[in-house]
Amino acid sequence: LRSGLHRQHGKQGAGGGGGGAKGIYAKLTIAVVGLLICTLSLLFSATIGGNRGSLEPSEINAEELWESAKSSGWRPSSAPRSDWPPPPRETNGYLRVRCNGGLNQQRSAICNAVLAARIMNATLVLPELDANSFWHDESGFQGIYDVEHFIQTLKYDVQIVESIPEIRKNGKTKKIKGYQLRPPRDAPIEWYTTVALKKMQEHGAIYLTPFSHRLAEEIDNPEYQRLRCRVNYHALRFKPNIMQLSESIVDKLRAQGHFMSIHLRFEMDMLAFA
Ligand SMILES: *[C@@H]1O[C@H](CO)[C@@H](O)[C@H](O)[C@H]1NC(C)=O
């Protein structure tokens, strides 16, 4: 969508060059009239809507606002509810992924990586995170998430290693090089059990990059969906220093009232498209 927008702008700019002075005046007039209409309608709606505004402070019950939303009978559903054997001892190979995008995208990519490893009976290598080009943040998985908790929580789902092991061959040690593949966007499960699995068995390891939105969201298998929930809501836990910071924010909110302003760092493209 974004690149599409850019393209359209580009076309308009290029196409409108032939109008000459007359054309410019016509365009300026249209622009001025447009601006006037916008300003007037804004003023108008401001006077009309002025009284209606938001709720008076006295009408808001802050205690109620901070209560948990009612679940209407829904309950968390991340534990397996049918036969879910532990991962087989024998692995089909190593799965390396490079997550990209914003923090949320990378988090959901991690959930997909775990599921992909499960589907392929592969050993997952701790996912690589994007060193964000704007924030210059190179924390990596180990710097953000609790690795031991991640591996422990998922031990009945997938085998996970922190790094790809070295192999000894003719007295030399070397790392298995993952065969690099670019998964299709929202790839179906079949892509993992055919194309990707074949390359994994050939090379011992595959390296999927980029790896955001590379596994379909809608999968007709509740156990697979639950596994993604287990990763997101149970296995991925921030490191103690990050938890401490968030706890101190919550403590402050509890002690000093319900509202606090936080300066979130915006990414350049978020500002441009906001
Ligand atoms: C993974 O292992 C399970 C259980 O051993 C087996 O049923 C399944 O066919 C295997 N899948 C692949 C892709 O190897």
Side-chain angles (χ1 to χ4, degrees):
L1 183 76
R2 285 178 187 179
S3 51
L5 275 174
H6 287 307
R7 241 177 279 132
Q8 267 188 356
H9 280 303
K11 263 190 205 152
Q12 274 178 5
K22 246 188 185 171
I24 290 175
Y25 281 127
K27 270 183 204 154
L28 262 175
T29 318
I30 292 170
V32 169
V33 170
L35 226 114
L36 254 169
I37 292 172
C38 286
T39 317
L40 283 177
S41 66
L42 246 173
L43 275 175
F44 190 64
S45 65
T47 35
I48 297 272
N51 310 332
R52 197 155 35 88
S54 48
L55 289 173
E56 293 288 314
S58 60
E59 293 172 53
I60 299 169
N61 183 348
E63 294 305 323
E64 234 167 68
L65 269 184
W66 286 77
E67 276 171 13
S68 307
K70 297 203 170 56
S71 74
S72 318
W74 291 90
R75 58 196 172 83
S77 66
S78 68
R81 290 191 214 158
S82 57
D83 185 35
W84 184 259
R89 284 240 179 83
E90 189 96 343
T91 182
N92 278 332
Y94 291 91
L95 175 66
R96 273 180 69 201
V97 299
R98 191 182 65 83
C99 306
N100 60 298
L103 286 180
N104 257 335
Q105 268 175 314
Q106 294 190 45
R107 193 177 171 106
S108 77
I110 295 170
C111 302
N112 283 339
V114 170
L115 179 53
R118 170 80 194 192
I119 293 167
M120 299 172 74
N121 291 337
T123 303
L124 179 67
V125 182
L126 222 51
E128 290 166 30
L129 303 187
D130 216 5
N132 189 284
S133 53
F134 180 61
W135 293 353
H136 305 292
D137 187 338
E138 290 171 26
S139 310
F141 196 106
Q142 282 97 333
I144 297 176
Y145 298 111
D146 182 334
V147 174
E148 206 187 299
H149 177 77
F150 182 71
I151 295 176
Q152 273 299 312
T153 309
L154 296 170
K155 67 179 171 191
Y156 298 115
D157 301 305
V158 278
Q159 295 188 50
I160 303 171
V161 292
E162 288 198 41
S163 61
I164 216 159
E166 288 175 339
I167 44 165
R168 282 191 75 84
K169 212 173 174 185
N170 309 329
K172 283 187 201 155
T173 56
K174 61 178 201 178
K175 285 209 157 163
I176 310 169
K177 264 196 123 186
Y179 181 88
Q180 194 168 320
L181 273 170
R182 187 191 174 93
R185 215 184 142 85
D186 296 320
I189 287 181
E190 291 70 39
W191 184 83
Y192 288 89
T193 54
T194 54
V195 181
L197 185 63
K198 189 163 161 273
K199 290 292 174 199
M200 180 179 275
Q201 284 167 333
E202 270 172 41
H203 299 268
I206 53 170
Y207 183 37
L208 302 183
T209 177
F211 196 73
S212 271
H213 306 286
R214 301 296 143 168
L215 181 55
E217 272 172 32
E218 304 226 344
I219 293 176
D220 193 18
N221 180 330
E223 291 305 351
Y224 287 173
Q225 301 293 48
R226 279 181 203 118
L227 174 56
R228 290 204 271 212
C229 287
R230 283 203 288 290
V231 183
N232 199 14
Y233 298 108
H234 299 279
L236 281 174
R237 189 163 80 186
F238 289 115
K239 286 189 70 165
N241 58 325
I242 297 175
M243 295 299 280
Q244 271 160 19
L245 178 64
S246 63
E247 273 158 22
S248 75
I249 291 174
V250 172
D251 287 347
K252 270 224 167 82
L253 284 167
R254 292 212 165 112
Q256 299 173 6
H258 291 308
F259 303 98
M260 175 187 253
S261 72
I262 301 176
H263 172 67
L264 296 171
R265 292 184 299 175
F266 262 123
E267 286 185 58
M268 218 114 61
D269 63 341
M270 286 162 76
L271 281 179
F273 292 98

